[in-house]
Amino acid sequence: MKAGEAVASTERYNRKKDAIVAAATAILNRDGARGMTLADVAASVGLITTSVTYYFKKKEDLAVACYLRTIERLDALIGEAAAPSDPRERVRRLLENYFALDRRIREGEEAPIAVFSDVRSLNEPHLSQVNEPYGKLFRKARALFQSPAMDWIDRRMATARTHMLLEQLYWSVAWLPRFEIEDYPRILERMYDILLNGLAKPDAMWAPRILPGIDPEPVDAQAALRETFLMSATRLINQRGYRGASVERISEQLNVTKGSFYHHNDAKDDLVVACFERSFAIMRRAQSAAMLEPGTWWEKLSAAAATLAEYQLSERGPLLRTSALSALPEQIRYSMVEASNRVSGRFAGMISDGIAEGTIRPVDTFIAAQMMNATLNASSAIAAMLPGVAQGDASELYARPILMGLFAK
């Protein structure tokens, strides 16, 4: 083969490979890493399955390629955002870059990016093939907060803020499609304003009350056993993703047989739905308890957010990560999304009442509520992100920055 023909052949190979990865990313986002099949990917690009295996031997190899391509693209956004010297401007630049990318994706100019919610379902060595470069990406993003003028932001605080900031980007795929692309500049400004200044008025104090009794004790032995199942399954799903939390793994973690599992649960999907319902119920109880508290709506909102953040490190925590919604079977995903939206709606109502009262800054209540949800979702992984973190630190590390601002001392 001549040199020119070799170059052309390589270019054709790369174009086809890129097309496969792009198609696979859309399917991965819909069905999860475990649910994606090479046959579905092949059909979406007009190939037969054996043609796809010429590029990727196993579907796990293809899933890794999807995640690595997304990491490369996000790495470029973060690298460009690091140019300004002021961390505030770096955060703004990152938002601008991300919104520009999302616009190009929605307009069909670029392929979608992979949603990381199901990456935990990968087994080794594929999990490490994604986690190692993602770790480098995270550290690069954490460097956005480094500045001599902000040396009070220690490593632990920077890690939590980076986690929260990236979660805002990832969670935006759940609510940005509600808006027209033409509105992106306004949405970006509102999102940046909340990240920079939080929801607090300039004279607001951060002294939230941690509310008791949001997770009452089971009434009998049967209810206690059910609670044990739900807590263990929630932890495993958070660790391994929806599809990675198999019946075998859940049973093993509970030290019960599969037969015992099915005695208490009709199917794995029923258990996952019950885990979501339990988490949403805990969030609603925290909101309701906060609403009944004396004081201003700022104090009520702070109490709800701080209480839920602290619950993540409690003996019966954490809450189920709402990012697992993206991997649920379609027939049950809709009802769980609606339940999640109702929780966000209650936060929006509390924020609206605070604005009317004059104790919360005027902000876009819908966006603010979604950003609070994203923050609570991030805090569910606090033990993994910050090993050794103590009870009482979660509200300071996660709830405070979203309510007071990323750069508030």
Side-chain angles (χ1 to χ4, degrees):
M1 183 181 293
K2 296 180 180 179
E5 293 174 344
V7 170
S9 177
T10 300
E11 290 177 349
R12 286 194 300 271
Y13 176 90
N14 289 335
R15 283 197 301 270
K16 182 60 69 175
K17 186 175 183 179
D18 288 344
I20 292 171
V21 171
T25 299
I27 295 172
L28 181 148
N29 289 346
R30 184 191 70 203
D31 299 335
R34 291 286 187 93
M36 180 183 71
T37 68
L38 293 180
D40 286 342
V41 175
S44 68
V45 291
L47 296 174
I48 59 175
T49 304
T50 53
S51 296
V52 174
T53 59
Y54 175 70
Y55 298 88
F56 301 97
K57 298 298 183 185
K58 300 178 180 179
K59 72 172 184 178
E60 290 81 7
D61 298 327
L62 179 52
V64 168
C66 294
Y67 289 126
L68 294 182
R69 183 66 55 85
T70 293
I71 290 171
E72 290 174 1
R73 296 163 74 185
L74 293 177
D75 182 82
L77 302 187
I78 294 169
E80 201 279 331
S85 59
D86 187 340
R88 299 177 186 85
E89 286 301 314
R90 294 172 188 163
V91 170
R92 181 183 181 87
R93 184 77 66 86
L94 179 59
L95 283 184
E96 291 172 346
N97 293 345
Y98 185 82
F99 270 71
L101 172 62
D102 193 75
R103 173 191 285 269
R104 294 193 298 272
I105 292 171
R106 285 186 62 176
E107 291 179 339
E109 297 176 6
E110 289 195 30
I113 60 174
V115 176
F116 289 105
S117 59
D118 202 43
V119 71
R120 300 172 186 83
S121 68
L122 292 174
N123 293 318
E124 295 295 355
H126 298 96
L127 182 59
S128 293
Q129 291 170 3
V130 177
N131 277 347
E132 289 176 9
Y134 186 83
K136 294 179 181 179
L137 172 80
F138 188 91
R139 291 189 290 275
K140 190 171 184 176
R142 187 169 58 195
L144 297 178
F145 289 94
Q146 293 177 356
S147 168
M150 294 183 182
D151 57 1
W152 57 270
I153 299 182
D154 61 25
R155 184 182 181 85
R156 190 175 69 160
M157 294 167 65
T159 295
R161 281 164 167 75
T162 303
H163 188 201
M164 190 189 88
L165 176 60
L166 293 178
E167 195 70 30
Q168 300 299 336
L169 303 184
Y170 304 152
W171 183 247
S172 69
V173 300
W175 58 268
L176 264 182
R178 294 172 60 115
F179 296 91
E180 297 293 339
I181 293 176
E182 290 75 15
D183 293 329
Y184 272 22
R186 291 192 306 111
I187 298 166
L188 188 154
E189 292 296 335
R190 294 174 181 184
M191 193 172 177
Y192 177 66
D193 173 56
I194 293 169
L195 287 173
L196 188 63
N197 302 305
L199 307 183
K201 301 278 282 189
D203 59 347
M205 298 292 293
W206 177 252
R209 180 174 178 231
I210 306 302
L211 306 172
I214 66 167
D215 197 10
E217 291 296 325
V219 296
D220 55 34
Q222 186 66 24
L225 181 59
R226 179 68 170 167
E227 179 75 0
T228 299
F229 268 96
L230 297 181
M231 287 190 297
S232 295
T234 294
R235 291 165 186 163
L236 190 57
I237 294 168
N238 282 355
Q239 293 167 5
R240 299 289 301 173
Y242 166 76
R243 297 185 185 276
S246 64
V247 171
E248 290 79 5
R249 283 197 174 109
I250 294 173
S251 300
E252 181 181 348
Q253 185 156 311
L254 290 169
N255 196 27
V256 300
T257 64
K258 288 178 63 176
S260 178
F261 175 94
Y262 285 115
H263 175 73
H264 296 284
N265 306 274
D266 292 335
K268 175 185 148 184
D269 286 351
D270 297 325
L271 180 62
V272 174
V273 168
C275 289
F276 271 114
E277 290 176 340
R278 173 180 176 270
S279 291
F280 293 145
I282 292 168
M283 295 177 77
R284 289 194 300 270
R285 284 196 292 269
Q287 292 170 327
S288 296
M291 291 177 188
L292 294 174
E293 284 285 294
T296 67
W297 280 102
W298 161 252
E299 293 168 332
K300 297 173 192 284
L301 182 68
S302 299
T307 297
L308 288 170
E310 290 300 333
Y311 184 85
Q312 309 285 20
L313 287 173
S314 70
E315 291 182 356
R316 293 167 69 176
L319 298 168
L320 188 62
R321 287 177 58 84
T322 49
S323 55
L325 286 168
S326 63
L328 281 172
E330 189 172 356
Q331 64 269 24
I332 59 178
R333 186 187 311 162
Y334 178 78
S335 61
M336 293 298 99
V337 169
E338 285 299 300
S340 177
N341 287 340
R342 286 193 292 272
V343 171
S344 294
R346 297 191 87 195
F347 276 131
M350 296 174 75
I351 295 167
S352 178
D353 288 342
I355 294 171
E357 182 186 60
T359 58
I360 292 177
R361 292 192 315 111
V363 295
D364 187 305
T365 58
F366 172 83
I367 295 175
Q370 292 293 338
M371 293 176 70
M372 285 193 64
N373 256 10
T375 300
L376 290 173
N377 194 51
S379 69
S380 65
I382 183 172
M385 295 299 300
L386 297 165
V389 65
Q391 185 82 41
D393 289 343
S395 57
E396 183 71 19
L397 290 168
Y398 282 87
R400 190 176 188 273
I402 192 62
L403 292 177
M404 301 291 287
L406 281 177
F407 301 101
K409 288 188 178 180

